[in-house]
Amino acid sequence: MIVDCGIYRDGRRLEGPEDFSAALAGARAAGGFVWVGLHEPSAREFDLVSQEFALHALAVEDALKAHQRPKMEVYDDSLFVVLKSVVYEPRRDAVSTGEIMIFLGDAFVVTVRHGEGAGLAAVRSRLEREPALLGKGPTAVLYAIADTVVDHYLDVATELQTDLEELEAEVFSPARAGSRHIASRIYAFKRQITEFRRATVPLGPPLARLGGTGPSAFATAVPFVDDTARPFFRDVSDHLTRVNESVESLDRLVSDVLSAHLAQTSVQQNDDMRKISAWAAMAAVPTLIAGVYGMNFQHMPELHWLWGYPAVIVLMVVLEVLLYRLFRRRDWL
């Protein structure tokens, strides 16, 4: 559905016609731009927008189907940018992702949002409170959205770091070290990190190009983007670099935590096997002696001696005590 449609000139929102064609013509005549915001539009709803703003068919298909990697595509009449929004859900201690598609033209911005991530109403309100920034035109909208998305990345990375610390404490807790559910929790956490990485890592090259730090970036300007905004995009790119470093660190740490948990499990299993072996050895000694006397041969040692039975019992007890002390000394019991 269409969430909002506004006409902006000199950093101020103007009252204008609701018809897209008339709004675009008025914005171009006044030196402003039109910003249309949509949320999970149907094919019919988006067909009207794509025709009025002459959006490329391939970009329109990507915007409707969603499930795209972060990227930037340059077409004849517009610039197409895909961002992945990431939101941390405290109730489930998990991250959820959405998508924001941005079409940037000479006098228009079309944003298409998919998923349950944070909306763009706060971004629009922020820009409307900063006329100097909004006066930069469609470039300001692209910058504000990218800046907001990457700032949310930093918040999510902080929350995931906290969750990882709690998971580490649980793994190394003596009471929970052998819990069978810890491995599944670690694996689920690693999947969240992987999902987070899919949102952050591919965004690096587009932001680098927008900031003028990519390969041959200074020789080739990005169409429909004001060159004076490059320092702002470089700032967003720096923040994204911090996020990617955090993601890499989290991924390495969770792998180390999983390895430590598996090592702890292996050590505990070895300890259990040693205890079982020690008890089996202790049970084997009296069983052996009793088995010898149970073979029913006539000429057995001390068979007719009055104290033969008590002597054998005492021998069994002494051997058991010696074995117990030996295994205790070697930490097998």
Side-chain angles (χ1 to χ4, degrees), residues 5-7 16-28 33-34 53 107:
C5 177
I7 303 176
E18 296 183 358
D19 179 72
F20 292 144
S21 181
L24 182 59
R28 283 173 172 163
F33 70 95
V34 179
F53 295 100

Side-chain angles (χ1 to χ4, degrees), residues 171 176-180 182-183 258-272:
V171 167
R176 299 294 301 276
S179 175
R180 66 181 64 181
I182 291 182
L258 179 58
S259 298
H261 171 66
L262 295 177
Q264 281 186 326
T265 302
S266 179
V267 170
Q268 184 174 0
Q269 289 176 346
N270 290 337
D271 289 341
D272 293 341

